[in-house]
Amino acid sequence: MRILVTGATGTLGGALLPALIRAGHQVRALSRKERQSSGRVEWFWGDLASGKGVADAVHGVDAIAHLATSGPRGRGAVDVPGTQRLLLAAREARVQHLLYTSVVGVDRVAIGYLGHKLEAERLIGESGIGWTVLRATRFQQSLDQRLRAYASFPVMLVDRSLPWQPVHTGEVAALAAALLAGGPEGKEFEFGGPQVMDTEELVRTWLQARHVRRPCLPVHYPGRMYAAQRDGELITDTDSRGVITWHDYLHPAPPALTDDFASEHTASPTSPANQPENDPDLHVYGGDEGYERPTRS
């Protein structure tokens, strides 16, 4: 199956591309930067905010994994108008299935960024295209990046009243790949991390794992979004959960040896087979939202 991935350069996109490749799919990826295609990933230049290049990227695909978003700091240009443009192109190309990645709690807390995500869900559900929505809790990788930024300050501000349910992007990507292979479900799925913890435990575990010493100052985060999180609206009690805990993510186990260990290590040390993190087809770098600055008009 040929699958187009929007937001392919984001945190989740970087996990989904290799998951789809391993499953044997033909992968096409949308990017706002010019990228060289290869035998594993076919890159298309396109801009969901303006619509340029989107029809070309959608043409000939069987399914779309729509990960791109403006993010919490955006104004919904990708989530709502961008999704409308993608749906128009998908209908014209007779795409059979669109999987949209959303956020746990959008149906309960339609505030700001989450309101944009909920509106995108509505547009997809009314589009006439076969669809599936996958709502996930906060990514462990995103929280790690956020805490790295906070650690640049001399004190960590900690709101002990906030519950978190971090989930590993690799597990979200594996579920997304399975849902794409299974065809449109016409419903929403929730997926969260295996444990719920407060901010103090989250930060303390991170500081220990990253060998960072910072005093923690108790505070109360203001705003409606944090109030909703405090009430547990952004966590899920579904049975569909990951197994990689926050501690596991921060302390990854060494890779297990395989039967192909000898052959893998007889190749050149600089071979992509021995450095998968440097293989552009298997690891894609980008920000959380998978949405980059334009490089041409």
Side-chain angles (χ1 to χ4, degrees):
M1 183 162 56
R2 178 176 282 114
I3 300 173
L4 171 68
V5 180
T6 73
T9 59
T11 302
L12 181 57
L16 182 58
L17 293 189
L20 294 175
I21 291 168
R22 287 192 297 268
H25 298 294
Q26 298 179 53
V27 181
R28 181 178 291 180
L30 189 69
S31 173
R32 294 189 74 192
K33 292 181 180 178
E34 297 283 2
R35 295 176 183 269
Q36 186 66 40
S37 296
S38 71
R40 291 174 173 173
V41 178
E42 184 183 18
W43 286 96
F44 271 68
W45 179 87
D47 181 3
L48 288 171
S50 68
K52 294 180 180 179
V54 175
D56 290 340
V58 169
H59 179 72
V61 304
D62 303 298
I64 299 171
H66 183 25
L67 317 183
T69 173
S70 303
R73 298 175 183 174
R75 298 181 180 273
V78 173
D79 299 282
V80 181
T83 296
Q84 289 176 316
R85 295 183 181 95
L86 181 66
L87 290 171
L88 178 61
R91 281 196 298 266
E92 293 178 350
R94 300 184 182 276
V95 174
Q96 299 300 305
H97 184 195
L98 187 145
L99 179 138
Y100 180 60
T101 53
S102 190
V103 181
V104 165
V106 294
D107 54 335
R108 300 184 290 270
V109 190
I111 300 172
Y113 164 62
L114 297 187
H116 298 149
K117 301 293 286 185
L118 185 61
E119 176 63 11
E121 288 188 13
R122 185 190 67 79
L123 292 170
I124 291 166
E126 297 175 355
S127 67
I129 299 170
W131 61 274
T132 305
V133 169
L134 174 56
R135 296 171 178 165
T137 55
R138 189 65 182 266
F139 298 151
Q140 293 168 355
Q141 287 81 350
S142 300
L143 284 171
D144 188 8
Q145 293 173 3
R146 181 175 177 178
L147 289 171
R148 286 179 187 274
Y150 285 178
S152 63
F153 297 99
V155 175
M156 302 283 280
L157 304 180
V158 174
D159 187 336
R160 296 189 178 103
S161 66
L162 294 179
W164 302 86
Q165 192 179 14
V167 66
H168 196 282
T169 55
E171 295 184 308
V172 179
L175 178 55
L179 290 172
L180 285 163
E185 293 281 353
K187 62 181 182 180
E188 302 85 8
F189 292 86
E190 289 193 351
F191 188 69
Q195 62 183 152
V196 177
M197 62 182 68
D198 61 28
T199 309
E200 184 174 26
E201 182 182 0
L202 185 92
V203 172
R204 183 179 65 251
T205 306
W206 184 86
L207 290 172
Q208 292 171 349
R210 298 294 182 238
H211 306 290
V212 175
R213 295 174 62 88
R214 291 288 185 280
C216 294
L217 178 65
V219 297
H220 184 87
Y221 296 163
R224 291 188 298 164
M225 186 69 75
Y226 284 122
Q229 183 177 350
R230 195 171 289 115
D231 291 338
E233 301 291 358
L234 304 185
I235 62 175
T236 179
D237 58 1
T238 179
D239 292 334
S240 180
R241 298 193 186 190
V243 298
I244 301 175
T245 67
W246 179 236
H247 181 275
D248 293 338
Y249 163 73
L250 294 171
H251 300 86
L257 302 183
T258 67
D259 292 339
D260 296 326
F261 177 79
S263 61
E264 290 172 0
H265 288 75
T266 53
S268 166
T270 59
S271 167
N274 288 334
Q275 295 184 332
E277 71 278 7
N278 293 329
D279 185 342
D281 297 328
L282 298 180
H283 189 93
V284 184
Y285 298 88
D288 272 353
E289 287 73 45
Y291 193 66
E292 309 152 12
R293 292 182 179 180
T295 56
R296 72 180 188 185
S297 60

